[in-house]
Amino acid sequence: RVRLLSAYILRKGLDLHSWLRVSLLFLALWGQVFPQCPDSCHCAWDTATVLCSDAGLREIPEGIPPETVSLHLERNYIRNIPESTFSNLVRLRDLYLSHNRIDSLASGALQHLGPELRLLDLSHNQLRHVSKEEFGSTRAKTRLYHNPWHCDCTLQELMETLNLEPETVNGIICESSDPGSLGEHAGQPLVKLLDSGVNFCSLQRKTTDVAMLVTMFVWFFMVIVYVVYYVRQNQAEARRHLEYLKSLPSPRKTPTETDTLSTGF
């Protein structure tokens, strides 16, 4: 379209007004053919690749072209991924977010990634707690290694849901774990713990059951204490009332009452 328009301009002798109109149309067509690249990024239009690596970014840049196939955001200072950040990138196949400072994902932050996504790289970040809800139904090959993971039932469920890259799965190390495991799992690969029979979900259920029993015991103890206190208070109140009655003077018979009784006899 751009070439045809250029040839048409060269063939026709146009006045200034017509030239301006044609120029505006030309710019509009140029914008459609070559979308604007986000600030601090470099765009390779022939491969639909957006390169924002080592750009000092603190958040996901705005204005990423919807036609983007490969998006590079590695080696920046990004801390979180807001919800619906990638909702318009329906053609995205490769998303590189490694070597950032990401410590949280908004609920559904990655849900809108299209079914064409093949690779999701979140390695070398600060992730500790994430759930499968944040990832949606993506089946992309996922990298999660080199994060300070807290190993619990939520992470175990996530591991069972995602399509983790086999070459890097051993790099998912437990930096901490639930109290029920007594810290014995720190520093060990999560996949090896699961293969050895460790079940963080059963540990969580046991911890929950113990907490429930303790709560019930405390509640029962408080009820007993209240009942004992109530009974003692009633007993003390009854004794005080009885002592008060005893302290009252006995009623004496008046002379009229005595004469009446004598007459009766």
Side-chain angles (χ1 to χ4, degrees):
R1 286 182 294 180
V2 175
R3 290 181 178 178
L4 290 174
L5 183 59
S6 301
Y8 178 77
I9 293 173
L10 294 174
R11 287 199 307 267
K12 300 292 183 179
L14 301 177
D15 55 21
L16 180 60
H17 181 70
S18 299
W19 172 257
L20 290 175
R21 294 175 60 184
V22 171
S23 298
L24 292 174
L25 178 61
F26 181 82
L27 290 174
L29 291 174
W30 184 268
Q32 292 179 8
V33 176
F34 296 101
Q36 186 176 3
C37 192
D39 294 339
S40 304
C41 301
H42 172 71
C43 296
W45 303 116
D46 55 338
T47 59
T49 300
V50 178
L51 300 170
C52 304
S53 308
D54 298 294
L57 299 174
R58 297 187 179 276
E59 58 185 15
I60 307 294
E62 297 182 355
I64 300 173
E67 297 81 8
T68 302
V69 171
S70 182
L71 177 57
H72 292 259
L73 291 163
E74 59 265 43
R75 295 184 297 277
N76 283 291
Y77 304 100
I78 300 170
R79 289 188 174 276
N80 58 73
I81 301 179
E83 188 176 359
S84 304
T85 301
F86 307 109
S87 59
N88 64 326
L89 304 181
V90 295
R91 300 181 182 178
L92 193 63
R93 292 186 180 180
D94 304 307
L95 178 56
Y96 298 90
L97 289 161
S98 64
H99 294 87
N100 277 281
R101 300 178 181 179
I102 300 172
D103 57 13
S104 65
L105 304 175
S107 178
L110 304 173
Q111 278 187 352
H112 302 286
L113 292 172
E116 295 188 13
L117 190 70
R118 300 176 305 184
L119 176 64
L120 174 59
D121 190 355
L122 283 165
S123 62
H124 294 275
N125 278 287
Q126 299 299 318
L127 292 170
R128 286 180 54 81
H129 301 276
V130 291
S131 65
K132 56 185 179 182
E133 285 74 20
E134 276 111 27
F135 287 84
S137 58
T138 180
R139 298 306 302 159
K141 187 176 292 185
T142 306
R143 298 171 181 170
L144 295 176
Y145 65 99
H146 283 297
N147 279 281
W149 291 112
H150 176 78
C151 293
D152 56 7
C153 182
T154 303
L155 184 59
Q156 177 178 327
E157 291 177 346
L158 178 66
M159 291 274 291
E160 296 168 352
T161 301
L162 291 180
N163 179 24
L164 296 171
E165 186 179 55
E167 296 84 1
T168 62
V169 70
N170 285 328
I172 303 176
I173 307 295
C174 298
E175 183 169 292
S176 60
S177 57
D178 280 345
S181 61
L182 301 177
E184 60 186 16
H185 301 143
Q188 299 189 46
L190 178 57
V191 65
K192 290 186 177 180
L193 291 173
L194 298 179
D195 289 342
S196 66
V198 175
N199 191 328
F200 289 96
C201 294
S202 64
L203 290 174
Q204 185 180 44
R205 283 192 289 269
K206 290 178 180 178
T207 304
T208 303
D209 292 343
V210 171
M212 186 177 295
L213 288 174
V214 171
T215 302
M216 292 179 62
F217 174 79
V218 171
W219 180 83
F220 185 67
F221 176 76
M222 291 177 65
V223 170
I224 293 177
V225 169
Y226 175 77
V227 171
V228 171
Y229 173 79
Y230 180 78
V231 170
R232 289 184 176 179
Q233 282 292 103
N234 283 349
Q235 289 177 345
E237 193 68 28
R239 284 196 297 269
R240 285 195 295 269
H241 185 66
L242 183 60
E243 291 174 357
Y244 172 74
L245 293 177
K246 290 180 178 179
S247 66
L248 293 176
S250 301
R252 297 180 180 179
K253 297 179 180 180
T254 61
T256 306
E257 292 175 346
T258 305
D259 295 342
T260 305
L261 292 173
S262 301
T263 307
F265 283 110

